[in-house]
C-alpha cells in the first residue's frame, strides 16, 4: 500500500483478510511507513516509492494523492503488478491514454477503487435491472455533496489538492454506480459550475453539474460539490421503461416503483 492517509483503510481491511498478506507500505512522510509497519507487523516500509515498487509484490494499492495515481499505477503495471488505484484514476484525457496503454501492455490487472459500486443497495438495484424489473434504463440522476473543509487545507492553512479539484472530476461516487447498473459507458458530456462563492480564498469551485449521454442512449445528470454548507449525502435515482428506483437524501431507504406492482409504492430499507 502506497499512501498511508487514505491508504490506512486498505491496511486495516487487507490486514484482517485471511487470504491477504501485507508485504510493504510506503509514504513520503518521514517515519510514517516505519510506524505503521511496526504496529501492524508488516515486513517492509519505504520512504522512496521507486524502492517500494521493486519490492516483491503481487498487488499494489495506490492511495497517494491524485497527482501520483497515474505515474504510480503505470510504474506498478510495467513491473507486472496488479493495481488497485484510488479515485480519481486520472486528471486529464492524456493521462487516460497513457494509463490504458500501460494496462494493455502489462500482464497485471488494473482496477479503479470506486467502492460505491459495491454498496449493498447498488448491488440490489443492479440485480433488479438485470431481472428486467425496470425495463430499459433511460434516465438517471446522482448527487454527491460533502462539505469537507478539513480536507481542503492543511493544519497550517495551506490548500490541498481538494481545494483545486474540479468537483465533477470526483464523480466516481455518482457516475460509477449508475453506469454499472446497465453496464453502460458515456459517449458525450457537457457541464457547468457555479464558480467560487463559498471557499473563495483558494478559488474552490462550489458545485459542478455534468450531463452525460451513454452508448445505450440513456441520459445521466450528476451534481458534485465539496464546499456547500450541508452535511454530506449521496442521492441516486434511476428511471426505466417499466419502473424507477430512488435513494432518499435523508436515509438509506430505497423507494421503488414497478409496473408489475400497480398502484403500489414499495419502500425497502437497504443499508449501505
Amino acid at each position: 500500500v502506497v499512501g498511508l492517509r487514505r491508504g490506512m483503510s486498505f491496511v486495516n481491511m487487507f490486514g484482517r483478510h485471511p487470504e491477504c498478506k501485507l508485504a510493504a507500505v510506503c509514504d513520503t512522510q518521514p517515519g510514517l511507513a516505519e510506524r505503521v509497519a511496526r504496529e501492524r507487523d508488516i515486513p517492509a516500509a519505504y520512504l522512496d516509492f521507486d524502492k517500494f515498487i521493486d519490492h516483491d509484490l503481487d498487488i499494489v494499492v495506490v492511495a497517494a494523492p491524485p497527482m501520483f495515481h497515474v505515474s504510480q499505477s503505470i510504474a506498478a503495471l510495467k513491473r507486472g503488478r496488479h493495481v488497485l488505484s484510488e479515485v480519481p484514476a486520472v486528471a486529464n484525457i492524456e493521462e487516460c491514454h497513457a494509463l490504458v496503454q500501460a494496462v494493455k501492455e502489462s500482464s497485471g490487472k488494473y482496477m479503479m477503487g470506486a467502492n460505491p459500486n459495491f454498496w449493498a443497495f447498488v448491488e440490489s438495484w443492479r440485480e433488479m435491472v438485470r431481472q428486467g424489473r425496470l425495463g430499459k434504463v433511460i434516465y438517471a440522476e446522482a448527487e454527491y455533496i460533502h462539505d469537507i473543509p478539513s480536507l481542503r487545507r492543511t493544519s497550517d492553512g495551506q490548500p490541498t489538492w481538494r481545494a483545486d479539484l474540479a468537483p465533477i472530476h470526483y464523480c466516481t461516487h455518482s457516475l460509477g454506480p449508475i453506469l454499472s447498473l446497465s453496464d453502460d459507458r458515456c459517449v458525450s458530456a457537457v457541464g457547468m459550475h457555479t464558480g467560487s462563492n463559498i471557499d473563495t480564498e483558494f478559488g474552490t469551485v462550489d458545485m459542478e453539474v455534468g450531463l452525460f449521454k451513454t452508448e445505450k442512449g440513456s441520459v445521466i445528470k450528476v451534481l458534485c460539490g465539496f464546499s456547500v454548507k450541508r452535511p454530506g449525502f449521496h442521492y441516486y435515482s434511476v428511471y426505466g421503461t417499466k419502473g424507477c428506483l430512488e435513494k432518499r437524501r435523508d436515509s438509506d431507504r430505497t423507494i421503488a416503483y414497478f409496473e408489475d406492482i400497480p398502484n403500489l409504492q414499495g419502500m425497502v430499507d437497504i443499508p449501505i
Side-chain angles (χ1 to χ4, degrees), residues 63-81:
M67 65 283 291
F68 301 111
H69 287 183
V70 171
S71 62
Q72 292 181 347
S73 294
I74 290 176
L77 289 165
K78 285 184 175 179
R79 289 163 174 79
R81 320 288 197 223

Side-chain angles (χ1 to χ4, degrees), residues 35-222:
R35 178 176 62 79
V36 171
R38 183 173 61 253
E39 293 175 352
R40 305 303 178 97
D41 195 25
I42 299 170
Y46 293 91
L47 189 68
D48 187 315
F49 175 80
D50 292 332
K51 294 179 180 178
F52 160 80
I53 202 63
D54 284 329
H55 193 91
D56 183 18
L57 305 168
D58 296 315
I59 303 170
V60 176
V61 177
V62 176
M67 65 283 291
F68 301 111
H69 287 183
V70 171
S71 62
Q72 292 181 347
S73 294
I74 290 176
L77 289 165
K78 285 184 175 179
R79 289 163 174 79
R81 320 288 197 223
H82 303 302
V83 174
L84 172 61
S85 173
E86 260 295 358
V87 297
V90 299
N92 52 55
I93 294 296
E94 290 72 27
E95 287 189 345
C96 285
H97 292 311
L99 181 58
V100 168
Q101 188 63 33
V103 172
K104 289 180 177 179
E105 295 174 354
S106 176
S107 60
K109 300 182 190 299
Y110 174 90
M111 179 178 179
M112 184 173 67
N115 52 309
N117 287 10
F118 306 100
W119 283 342
F121 83 91
V122 175
E123 295 275 13
S124 298
W125 286 21
R126 190 180 297 118
E127 184 59 29
M128 293 178 195
V129 171
R130 288 173 180 165
Q131 291 172 352
R133 300 288 300 278
L134 266 69
K136 178 185 177 182
V137 175
I138 55 176
Y139 179 79
E141 294 186 4
E143 299 177 10
Y144 179 26
I145 305 299
H146 192 181
D147 183 24
I148 41 176
S150 63
L151 297 182
R152 294 198 303 275
R153 62 187 70 207
T154 61
S155 58
D156 58 356
Q158 297 303 307
T160 67
W161 60 268
R162 291 179 183 269
D164 298 326
L165 182 74
I168 204 66
H169 283 189
Y170 209 86
C171 64
T172 50
H173 287 38
S174 303
L175 192 56
I178 296 297
L179 292 173
S180 75
L181 295 178
S182 53
D183 192 25
D184 210 347
R185 61 187 292 269
C186 297
V187 295
S188 64
V190 296
M192 293 185 182
H193 64 75
T194 62
S196 180
N197 300 280
I198 301 171
D199 196 355
T200 58
E201 182 180 359
F202 303 123
T204 302
V205 172
D206 319 315
M207 307 175 81
E208 194 165 12
V209 64
L211 195 63
F212 305 89
K213 188 77 171 184
T214 75
E215 192 171 55
K216 295 182 179 179
S218 301
V219 173
I220 302 172
K221 189 200 81 174
V222 171

Side-chain angles (χ1 to χ4, degrees), residues 237-254:
S237 63
V238 179
Y239 292 81
T241 55
K242 295 182 179 180
C244 64
L245 296 165
E246 181 177 359
K247 178 192 171 294
R248 297 171 57 134
R249 288 179 174 84
D250 60 351
S251 74
D252 295 336
R253 175 171 291 183
T254 288

